[in-house]
Amino acid sequence: MSGLDRFVDRLSPPRRVRRGATLTLVFASVLVTGAATGSWSDEADEGRKTATPSVRPDAAAPLGGAAGDAADAAAEAMADGKSAEAAAEEAVSRSGDRWGSVYSHGEFQKFEQALDGAYTGVGLWARRAADGRIEVSRVSEGGPAALAGIRAGDRLRSVDGRRVAGRPVTEVVSLLRGDRAGTPVELGLERGTRAWSETLRRARLSTDSLRVAELSRGARLIKVDAFTKGSGEAVREAVREAPEGAGILLDLRGNSGGLVSEAVTAASALVDGGLVATYDVRGEEKALHAERGGDTGRPVVALVDGGTMSAAELLTGALQDRGRAVVVGTRTFGKGSVQMPSRLPDGSVAELTVGHYRTPSGRAVDGRGITPDLEAEDGAEARAETVLTGLGPPS
């Protein structure tokens, strides 16, 4: 889950991006390759971006509410010679913010370093399952986790002997990652009734998040695993290079989010400007707009599932609301909240929910998800291809 970034999403022209308090707004969603944070910015995350906080070292924002409480608790703890980070974590826990997290200075630095498009980890993505346990949502092909036979749906019980149940996904991600390739990490895993331990060696992995394939009748499959740095432009290029009039199957299954700016750029490939989403930050309404010049002629089907989260839901909702795509699959995860990171007195960072986003028609996503136009679970991709064939080019 998580990748940082510096909110450079473009709003509707000719307006420029507003950096707020120079902090990065974040859609938290986490990729365990390390992590990925749905962020409002232009950089990438730990193994794939999909969700970590980002704050510039020289940035500061007025702290209030839970963030202010965390800062006060940290300051008091420091004055008493106690752990500021632990005090801040307790304050965040009391706030009731299910997505709230506190990162040490070192953890936060690792998330920021992940923005270079590569990371050191084991190549797996994780998410919190409905029962609160940590579940592997996807594994990176050829990575240490995949080579060890770990697969999507496996439950992660522990990392180096530390139980992960109840921990924030971002914290689990930080345990999986490391500074150097070749260092060992022991995972406690569960699959059905089988429980076992696996010792992996971390590796330096890339965050390539997009794959393109040709389908029958000239249609093009664009599979986006996460919205990491450059993925939005890669979607635009894949659409531009598709044969004239060919349909696009946009596969967002298992996409746990990432950089909102990249999701907006991806939307710009398929719409001609206009509203992508609205969001509120502490009661102030803001909007995200696509750039003009997108391809509005070819038929589009978006394929989603319960692992489609955050920035990927933002894109899905925009295409559905604007009549630009038929959505096929199962209901999406329902992660539509906005987090903002704040630097604490000891250098750690508290990431807390400050608002929520809505689709162009005003639908809330958080806790609800997006309902497909056509429900399909088994054989969903084949159904999506059939729908795409039936749409044909617009008349």
Side-chain angles (χ1 to χ4, degrees), residues 10-98:
R10 295 182 185 166
L11 304 185
S12 61
R15 290 181 289 164
R16 287 294 184 190
V17 178
R18 298 175 58 185
R19 292 183 181 273
T22 56
L23 292 179
T24 298
L25 294 179
V26 176
F27 274 139
S29 94
V30 193
L31 304 179
V32 164
T33 35
T37 277
S39 305
W40 302 90
S41 192
D42 61 356
E43 311 258 353
D45 100 306
E46 194 233 50
R48 236 172 251 230
K49 203 175 274 239
T50 144
T52 327
S54 89
V55 144
R56 297 197 181 170
D58 60 348
L63 299 181
D69 293 342
D72 291 344
E76 290 177 11
M78 290 175 67
D80 293 339
K82 299 178 181 178
S83 169
E85 185 181 342
E89 287 177 345
E90 184 177 349
V92 171
S93 177
R94 287 198 305 265
S95 75
D97 185 347
R98 66 178 294 207

Side-chain angles (χ1 to χ4, degrees), residues 1-207:
M1 271 130 266
S2 258
L4 290 192
D5 122 23
R6 289 181 281 279
F7 192 15
V8 284
D9 291 309
R10 295 182 185 166
L11 304 185
S12 61
R15 290 181 289 164
R16 287 294 184 190
V17 178
R18 298 175 58 185
R19 292 183 181 273
T22 56
L23 292 179
T24 298
L25 294 179
V26 176
F27 274 139
S29 94
V30 193
L31 304 179
V32 164
T33 35
T37 277
S39 305
W40 302 90
S41 192
D42 61 356
E43 311 258 353
D45 100 306
E46 194 233 50
R48 236 172 251 230
K49 203 175 274 239
T50 144
T52 327
S54 89
V55 144
R56 297 197 181 170
D58 60 348
L63 299 181
D69 293 342
D72 291 344
E76 290 177 11
M78 290 175 67
D80 293 339
K82 299 178 181 178
S83 169
E85 185 181 342
E89 287 177 345
E90 184 177 349
V92 171
S93 177
R94 287 198 305 265
S95 75
D97 185 347
R98 66 178 294 207
W99 299 108
S101 298
V102 176
Y103 305 86
S104 69
H105 177 69
E107 289 172 341
F108 198 75
Q109 277 192 323
K110 287 180 183 179
F111 283 132
E112 290 186 313
Q113 291 166 359
L115 298 183
D116 64 0
Y119 69 102
T120 300
V122 298
L124 69 80
W125 284 253
R127 66 185 176 202
R128 186 176 304 285
D131 61 6
R133 293 193 291 174
I134 301 298
E135 179 180 88
V136 176
S137 60
R138 190 156 45 86
V139 297
S140 179
E141 185 176 351
L147 294 176
I150 297 171
R151 62 194 191 208
D154 288 347
R155 298 298 179 96
L156 187 61
R157 297 182 297 115
S158 63
V159 178
D160 283 337
R162 303 181 190 179
R163 296 195 64 80
V164 299
R167 294 178 184 261
V169 177
T170 44
E171 183 179 338
V172 176
V173 167
S174 71
L175 295 174
L176 290 165
R177 298 194 316 178
D179 295 322
R180 291 179 295 109
T183 55
V185 57
E186 183 181 5
L187 308 186
L189 297 153
E190 187 177 286
R191 181 186 301 159
T193 58
R194 178 193 174 200
W196 80 103
S197 295
E198 196 79 51
T199 298
L200 308 179
R201 294 276 174 180
R202 296 182 178 93
R204 190 67 174 166
L205 303 170
S206 67
T207 60

Side-chain angles (χ1 to χ4, degrees), residues 7 9 11 40 260 264 274-279 286-290 314:
F7 192 15
D9 291 309
L11 304 185
W40 302 90
V260 171
V264 173
L275 187 64
V276 174
T278 60
Y279 63 99
K286 301 176 184 288
L288 295 170
H289 292 79
L314 179 149

Side-chain angles (χ1 to χ4, degrees), residues 212-221 237-248 295 297-299 393:
V212 179
E214 301 303 318
L215 301 175
S216 60
R217 303 188 185 183
R220 174 159 289 194
L221 169 68
E237 183 177 353
V239 171
R240 283 194 297 264
E241 292 180 352
E244 184 176 356
I248 299 294
D295 188 330
R298 28 178 115 247

